[in-house]
Amino acid sequence: MMNDILLIHVPSMHKMSEGNIPFPLGLMYVGGILERLGKNVKIHDLYLYDFPYEDRWGYLMLKKIIEDFSPDVIGYGGIAMSYGWAKNLSIQVKKDYPGIIQIAGGALSSVYDLLLTKAAIDVVFHGEAETNLPVFVDRFDSKKQWTDIPGISYFNNEIKRNQSVSQIENMDDIPYPAYHLVEIEKYYLKRQELLDAYRGDMSDQGIYESISKKLNGVNVLLPIVTARGCTHRCSFCYRHMKGYRKHSVDYVIRHIKYVQEEFGINGFAFRDELFNGDMKWVFELCDEIDKNDLKIAYRTSARVDNISEKMLTRMYETGCFSLLYGQESGSDKILKEYKKGVTRKQNVEATLLTRKVGIYSTVQLVIGSPGETQQTIQESIDFIKEVGVRYYSLNYLIPLPESPVWHYVLEKKLINDVEDYLEQVALRGGRHNVNLTQVSDKEWSNWSNLIDYKVKVHYAKSDGSYMECFKLFVIYYCRRTFPERIIEVLRAFLKK
């Protein structure tokens, strides 16, 4: 029988970035499913802790939890880069507690073959767990055969992956995630750090003041899902669900009210891949937020090809303070290669319009697509200047298993050891990991430095700070030549 189940939120990076800690939302949904089946559930979030080198994976803490909680099942949730953590923890658990069943799911399932052969995972769940997890639990508890359940993979002399699980047709049938399984106060925002981050990128002081006002009294942004899936699929995107499905406006309003009444929280992060797939729905939601006088602050993600000034204004009026578009590139050639379904012109217009309305629009770029060149990099630099941002998110393209670009990686044999590659990505994050382009490794790996240098020089010139331009040139030249440790010493010297 499965009675006590421990769910582990597995980090995707060895060195955690400072700032807001992500809620284990997927495990909160899974926890709710299991509780409704009468199970005792505990969530252990490894993101919340810093571990000493001698306990790099946090197993000593986990072992104490296992001794106290005595779980029958341990489930791991994360993304592909969480593989190293999941592997090392599951092997240790299997060694010390061989009777515990170990499962994995969510985006981590994209590396199911490694989990089943290199780690010590017994079953991997693919797709929506609301559909197949209850069947698995029922079959297991009643000692019936479970190996034919759709949407799972397991190892029996060889890897077996069953047919896909059917998706939920009516999104409103999905219960709320089990928020009570986490200690919400541990995810509180460092409010001033958040505001300082926005202040650093403000060409318009009015936006900063608006954000500060909207976040007054908000100490956490609780995740709420209003949709699953997206209308498009970028070349670097991993997704284990098909299509685009929305909750009804009534469901979302009830969800918000539940959180407000149960936890006294008014800050939300609508954790959708795509919030504005249906503009009519967005207007209806905004109207209902007003009618119910909800007084909330929220941020979310959207596409640049399905917005209007009227819609953005309504979102601003109902508490939206930040909107992430994922512009990805300032080059039409690269946007087409990414299969974004948008143009550079739409990226520019949406970013400027959003800021005009008073909503902060993060600029997020991904470089290093197979067709990326010095010319397309310059086009992205020009894009950053045109939309007037001083700070932006910049990452090299990370090919992940089961994403469209992964087929290109396999075809070109660019990665020989997938385990080692995932380990390097976990260590390095969105820095240069594998060169997919036709340019030299030296030129490719320098693109992030080049963008940083040219953008900073652009604004230094506009501020009339020519000494700063000289310092930036020295740092840029040295970064192309010397190890990073020497650069840090140089930075400290130039600041004096």
Side-chain angles (χ1 to χ4, degrees):
M1 287 283 291
M2 295 183 181
N3 293 314
D4 302 305
I5 301 175
L6 176 63
L7 302 176
I8 303 177
H9 192 202
V10 189
S12 59
M13 296 285 289
H14 290 307
K15 181 175 175 55
M16 307 304 169
S17 58
E18 294 186 7
N20 304 323
I21 301 170
F23 276 87
L25 185 59
L27 295 183
M28 289 154 64
Y29 273 107
V30 171
I33 296 169
L34 293 168
E35 284 192 328
R36 288 187 291 277
L37 295 173
K39 307 304 178 182
N40 184 27
V41 182
K42 181 180 182 66
I43 291 179
H44 178 48
D45 191 346
L46 292 172
Y47 274 96
L48 296 171
Y49 307 97
D50 291 321
F51 299 105
Y53 183 79
E54 57 271 20
D55 186 26
R56 180 182 178 187
W57 308 104
Y59 180 66
L60 295 179
M61 176 185 290
L62 175 58
K63 188 172 183 178
K64 185 177 186 307
I65 293 173
I66 292 174
E67 293 291 337
D68 293 340
F69 187 59
S70 299
D72 304 298
V73 178
I74 292 180
Y76 299 86
I79 60 177
M81 287 93 80
S82 308
Y83 167 73
W85 284 78
K87 173 187 174 181
N88 283 278
L89 289 177
S90 64
I91 289 175
Q92 288 281 358
V93 169
K94 183 66 70 176
K95 176 183 175 182
D96 294 341
Y97 308 95
I100 294 178
I101 302 299
Q102 299 190 87
I103 64 177
L108 182 57
S109 66
S110 65
V111 290
Y112 70 98
D113 52 342
L114 296 175
L115 291 169
L116 295 171
T117 58
K118 303 292 186 179
I121 301 299
D122 300 297
V123 187
V124 177
F125 287 81
H126 305 266
E128 294 178 320
E130 287 91 351
T131 302
N132 56 6
L133 183 56
V135 178
F136 175 79
V137 171
D138 177 68
R139 297 267 193 96
F140 192 91
D141 284 351
S142 58
K143 298 182 179 180
K144 295 179 180 178
Q145 179 183 349
W146 52 264
T147 55
D148 61 338
I149 296 173
I152 67 169
S153 57
Y154 59 96
F155 187 84
N156 184 12
N157 296 321
E158 62 179 349
I159 295 173
K160 304 281 189 178
R161 180 168 180 175
N162 295 349
Q163 66 184 45
S164 298
V165 66
S166 59
Q167 294 191 155
I168 298 169
E169 293 185 7
N170 183 2
M171 285 281 287
D172 287 3
D173 289 341
I174 302 173
Y176 307 148
Y179 294 108
H180 62 277
L181 289 178
V182 300
E183 298 178 64
I184 292 176
E185 62 273 13
K186 290 187 176 181
Y187 299 85
Y188 279 178
L189 302 169
K190 296 177 180 178
R191 185 173 182 275
Q192 194 54 51
E193 289 183 12
L194 181 65
L195 291 177
D196 287 346
Y198 286 122
R199 189 205 305 269
D201 193 19
M202 288 298 118
S203 55
D204 182 353
Q205 181 64 20
I207 295 182
Y208 173 80
E209 293 172 355
S210 172
I211 292 173
S212 181
K213 183 177 180 181
K214 281 183 167 61
L215 290 179
N216 184 37
V218 172
N219 54 18
V220 68
L221 295 177
L222 206 68
I224 281 186
V225 171
T226 77
R228 288 184 179 180
C230 186
T231 55
H232 293 67
R233 189 182 187 189
C234 298
S235 64
F236 48 78
C237 175
Y238 166 76
R239 182 184 305 122
H240 58 217
M241 292 175 283
K242 296 180 180 179
Y244 178 67
R245 294 161 295 156
K246 294 286 292 185
H247 282 294
S248 68
V249 168
D250 178 65
Y251 177 99
V252 176
I253 295 297
R254 285 188 283 110
H255 195 163
I256 292 172
K257 286 183 175 180
Y258 165 77
V259 170
Q260 288 182 319
E261 294 167 3
E262 194 74 16
F263 305 106
I265 289 172
N266 294 310
F268 299 93
F270 291 131
R271 284 273 297 276
D272 310 332
E273 287 185 73
L274 176 60
F275 180 76
N276 66 329
D278 182 345
M279 287 181 66
K280 181 174 179 290
W281 183 95
V282 176
F283 279 111
E284 290 175 355
L285 177 66
C286 290
D287 290 344
E288 289 301 316
I289 289 173
D290 276 346
K291 287 180 184 178
N292 287 272
D293 194 30
L294 294 183
K295 307 297 183 187
I296 63 174
Y298 64 93
R299 66 184 180 194
T300 188
S301 301
R303 282 181 61 87
V304 300
D305 59 346
N306 201 32
I307 66 165
S308 67
E309 185 168 356
K310 183 178 180 181
M311 186 189 82
L312 291 172
T313 300
R314 286 297 290 133
M315 290 176 65
Y316 173 79
E317 292 170 346
T318 54
C320 182
F321 66 90
S322 181
L323 198 53
L324 173 66
Y325 287 119
Q327 294 88 343
E328 318 303 7
S329 178
S331 165
D332 279 320
K333 173 188 173 183
I334 300 303
L335 289 171
K336 186 175 181 179
E337 191 169 283
Y338 284 156
K339 298 182 180 179
K340 284 292 294 183
V342 302
T343 65
R344 180 189 192 279
K345 184 173 183 288
Q346 288 173 313
N347 272 342
V348 171
E349 291 176 347
T351 304
L352 293 176
L353 181 59
T354 303
R355 291 187 169 218
K356 172 189 172 185
V357 166
I359 298 174
Y360 178 76
S361 176
T362 304
V363 169
Q364 178 174 286
L365 299 179
V366 176
I367 62 175
S369 184
E372 195 89 77
T373 64
Q374 196 75 8
Q375 175 59 39
T376 59
I377 290 295
Q378 184 59 51
E379 290 172 4
S380 286
I381 293 170
D382 293 340
F383 165 72
I384 294 171
K385 296 176 183 178
E386 188 170 353
V387 296
V389 299
R390 292 176 181 250
Y391 296 89
Y392 47 87
S393 169
L394 178 67
N395 291 284
Y396 280 83
L397 190 155
I398 303 175
L400 295 176
E402 296 198 344
S403 64
V405 76
W406 190 250
H407 300 295
Y408 177 86
V409 170
L410 296 180
E411 178 187 339
K412 299 295 183 181
K413 298 180 179 178
L414 298 175
I415 297 174
N416 296 318
D417 186 331
V418 177
E419 274 195 296
D420 180 67
Y421 167 73
L422 292 174
E423 178 72 7
Q424 291 306 311
V425 173
L427 287 168
R428 300 167 61 86
R431 298 167 64 188
H432 41 82
N433 290 290
V434 55
N435 186 357
L436 308 179
T437 74
Q438 299 303 307
V439 306
S440 68
D441 285 355
K442 183 177 181 180
E443 181 179 356
W444 161 76
S445 63
N446 185 60
W447 279 340
S448 58
N449 296 334
L450 178 67
I451 294 173
D452 178 68
Y453 166 65
K454 286 197 171 184
V455 170
K456 285 182 177 178
V457 165
H458 168 75
Y459 287 109
K461 285 181 178 178
S462 66
D463 294 339
S465 179
Y466 292 98
M467 178 54 72
E468 181 66 19
C469 290
F470 172 73
K471 291 180 179 179
L472 290 168
F473 171 76
V474 173
I475 291 174
Y476 171 69
Y477 177 81
C478 291
R479 286 175 77 176
R480 293 191 55 148
T481 311
F482 303 114
E484 189 64 29
R485 184 174 58 181
I486 295 178
I487 305 306
E488 292 305 317
V489 174
L490 178 64
R491 283 180 186 275
F493 174 77
L494 290 174
K495 284 181 180 180
K496 294 181 179 179

